[in-house]
Amino acid sequence: MSFFWFALVIGFLALVQMQFFFFTGLKKIYYRRYFNKTAVFEGETAEMVEILENRKFTPVPWLRVESRISPYLRFAKQEDVDIRHEQFHKSVFFLRGFKRIRRRHSFLCSHRGFYTLKSASLTTGDLLGLFNKFIRVPSDAYLYVYPRPLGIDEISPACLKWQGDVMMKRWILPDPILVNGIREYRPGDSQKDIHWGATARTGRLQVKVRDYTVSPRLYLLLNTQISEEQWGSILEHDDMEVIETGIRYAAHLASWAVSNGLEVGFACNGRLVDEEGVVRLPAACSQAHLEMILQAMAKLEIVRERNFHTLMDYLYEDAVTGMDFAVISPYWSDTLEKRANKLRSLGNSLTYIPINADQVKSEVSENEADKAV
């Protein structure tokens, strides 16, 4: 008989605690998360920060936070953190009354992209696990992963040649009116360039540094088609890597242009995440503009939104002039050459920078073989 009453009391207490945590478990629980950076380059590390608060007196025996995260954000293993199938991130917490927890999760950004965290699922229950209760909370966070910077041995010879041609064009002829600064006199400098005021102040001959009349305006055109005969938008993994290499070329040239004080624009026949239409950014020169270009490259989807020659037609119809175009593409054809001549007829220059598809695919195969070993 005593066992019966003991079991009855235990059952009653279990029911009471279950009802208690059912009504109080998720009350006054606040959850927030964010990335510690808004933008990184491919191959760099960042952190996701979780902040969880219990703003009531009663404790929460356990709280599980779950969300889906891209497998390209590779989290390091941590205690109380579970990563399933490289996509589902789970954290488990115990919260005392009026407790605030901040937890940092380090991860590697293994691929270019635009990553968002839109919501998380909070699940709790009672001490004995008799019930589960969950809610979904908004948790907006985003991260731009820019294309990986190229090493000097990875830069295409065609890219280097185009950079040299642009710089040669820039320094054609000094402007007799524009003065860019002052420096010490060197043998061969013209006497008419001597700055007598600066010479008197320093006690040494100083000459004016002239600016130049030619300042090229650059425009990068990126082709996301692997061939002119491509049908549909789905590409093989190796072909995707070829286009990724082209994106890195474009990112390198855009960064180089801005660092040298040159205006640069960017256009592509792919599309951005959650947007329609081709990508077209006007030419400008500033760090903010470079960030805009890199953000567009991070959000770029490797699909054929329009045929590449159609994108070139858009530029011709808009009568774009005075540009030095660099076409970054896995292929060249008579169709593209005709469009290139039309753009040249408007007073532009145009250079084709090929992406060596065979070399890229060979490097991909070697990397996969190394990983397998």
Side-chain angles (χ1 to χ4, degrees):
M1 191 69 176
S2 58
F3 176 78
F4 170 77
W5 287 107
F6 177 77
L8 187 63
V9 170
I10 293 299
F12 175 75
L13 292 177
L15 184 63
V16 169
Q17 66 88 29
M18 183 179 70
Q19 291 296 318
F20 175 77
F21 286 114
F22 179 82
F23 288 106
T24 65
L26 291 175
K27 283 187 177 179
K28 296 186 178 180
I29 297 294
Y30 296 88
Y31 175 77
R32 183 167 69 95
R33 65 179 172 178
Y34 59 90
F35 294 114
N36 68 328
K37 302 174 183 178
T38 58
V40 296
F41 285 93
E42 186 180 359
E44 293 182 344
T45 59
E47 288 183 340
M48 183 182 76
V49 182
E50 291 183 297
I51 298 177
L52 195 59
E53 294 182 73
N54 182 13
R55 299 182 183 177
K56 62 180 183 295
F57 178 77
T58 56
V60 178
W62 61 271
L63 182 69
R64 185 171 65 241
V65 180
E66 296 175 292
S67 61
R68 183 166 184 164
I69 295 179
S70 171
Y72 292 124
L73 304 182
R74 297 180 179 174
F75 285 81
K77 291 187 178 295
Q78 293 177 248
E79 188 178 354
D80 297 329
V81 176
D82 184 23
I83 309 294
R84 294 186 178 180
H85 309 296
E86 296 188 341
Q87 294 187 43
F88 299 97
H89 186 274
K90 181 176 72 174
S91 302
V92 180
F93 301 83
F94 164 72
L95 290 171
R96 297 193 299 270
F98 297 104
K99 178 68 174 179
R100 186 173 189 263
I101 295 177
R102 181 193 298 266
R103 186 176 289 176
R104 296 178 177 273
H105 308 281
S106 179
F107 60 87
L108 174 70
C109 303
S110 64
H111 197 275
R112 171 195 65 84
F114 177 65
Y115 302 98
T116 58
L117 306 175
K118 296 183 179 180
S119 65
S121 176
L122 307 185
T123 306
T124 188
D126 65 320
L127 292 169
L128 303 177
L130 299 177
F131 85 97
N132 288 340
K133 184 178 182 181
F134 80 95
I135 58 172
R136 187 168 293 277
V137 296
S139 181
D140 292 337
Y142 67 89
L143 176 69
Y144 290 96
V145 178
Y146 297 155
R148 175 176 58 82
L150 294 174
I152 189 65
D153 57 334
E154 297 177 285
I155 301 173
S156 162
C159 286
L160 294 173
K161 183 178 184 304
W162 185 70
Q163 290 174 229
D165 292 343
V166 168
M167 295 308 291
M168 285 294 293
K169 182 177 179 180
R170 187 181 189 189
W171 309 123
I172 288 177
L173 185 65
D175 192 300
I177 299 175
L178 299 176
V179 177
N180 195 30
I182 299 171
R183 61 169 172 80
E184 285 194 12
Y185 177 86
R186 298 172 186 167
D189 287 337
S190 174
Q191 291 187 0
K192 67 179 181 180
D193 287 335
I194 296 176
H195 193 292
W196 295 108
T199 298
R201 288 194 302 272
T202 61
R204 295 183 178 182
L205 278 176
Q206 304 288 317
V207 295
K208 302 171 185 176
V209 178
R210 302 290 181 181
D211 209 338
Y212 294 83
T213 56
V214 176
S215 185
R217 301 173 66 224
L218 313 181
Y219 212 116
L220 307 174
L221 300 181
L222 175 65
N223 187 4
T224 57
Q225 288 177 241
I226 198 67
S227 68
E228 197 163 56
E229 296 76 26
Q230 177 184 330
W231 182 260
S233 297
I234 299 177
L235 298 179
E236 298 291 336
H237 173 70
D238 290 352
D239 293 335
M240 296 278 282
E241 280 301 316
V242 172
I243 305 301
E244 288 290 346
T245 300
I247 295 173
R248 295 186 186 113
Y249 285 178
H252 165 76
L253 292 175
S255 300
W256 169 82
V258 172
S259 66
N260 283 276
L262 301 174
E263 293 186 10
V264 60
F266 175 67
C268 177
N269 60 329
R271 65 166 180 260
L272 302 184
V273 175
D274 299 328
E275 296 185 24
E276 295 182 357
V278 297
V279 183
R280 291 185 61 181
L281 299 177
C285 180
S286 68
Q287 192 61 36
H289 183 67
L290 176 60
E291 290 288 329
M292 186 185 302
I293 291 177
L294 292 176
Q295 288 176 3
M297 292 178 180
K299 297 178 71 174
L300 183 63
E301 292 185 321
I302 301 180
V303 297
R304 185 192 60 183
E305 184 73 3
R306 296 287 189 277
N307 286 319
F308 188 66
H309 63 261
T310 302
L311 174 63
M312 299 176 75
D313 287 337
Y314 290 161
L315 296 169
Y316 178 76
E317 291 166 2
D318 291 344
V320 176
T321 186
M323 292 289 180
D324 288 286
F325 286 102
V327 175
I328 303 170
S329 171
Y331 69 92
W332 193 252
S333 66
D334 291 340
T335 302
L336 297 186
E337 183 64 30
K338 291 177 182 178
R339 267 59 176 195
N341 288 332
K342 291 172 69 176
L343 288 172
R344 293 184 183 112
S345 70
L346 296 176
N348 304 293
S349 70
L350 189 145
T351 302
Y352 168 48
I353 298 178
I355 309 170
N356 191 330
D358 293 335
Q359 180 181 352
V360 173
K361 292 179 180 180
S362 175
E363 291 174 353
V364 171
S365 300
E366 289 177 2
N367 291 337
E368 290 179 348
D370 292 340
K371 290 179 182 178
V373 172

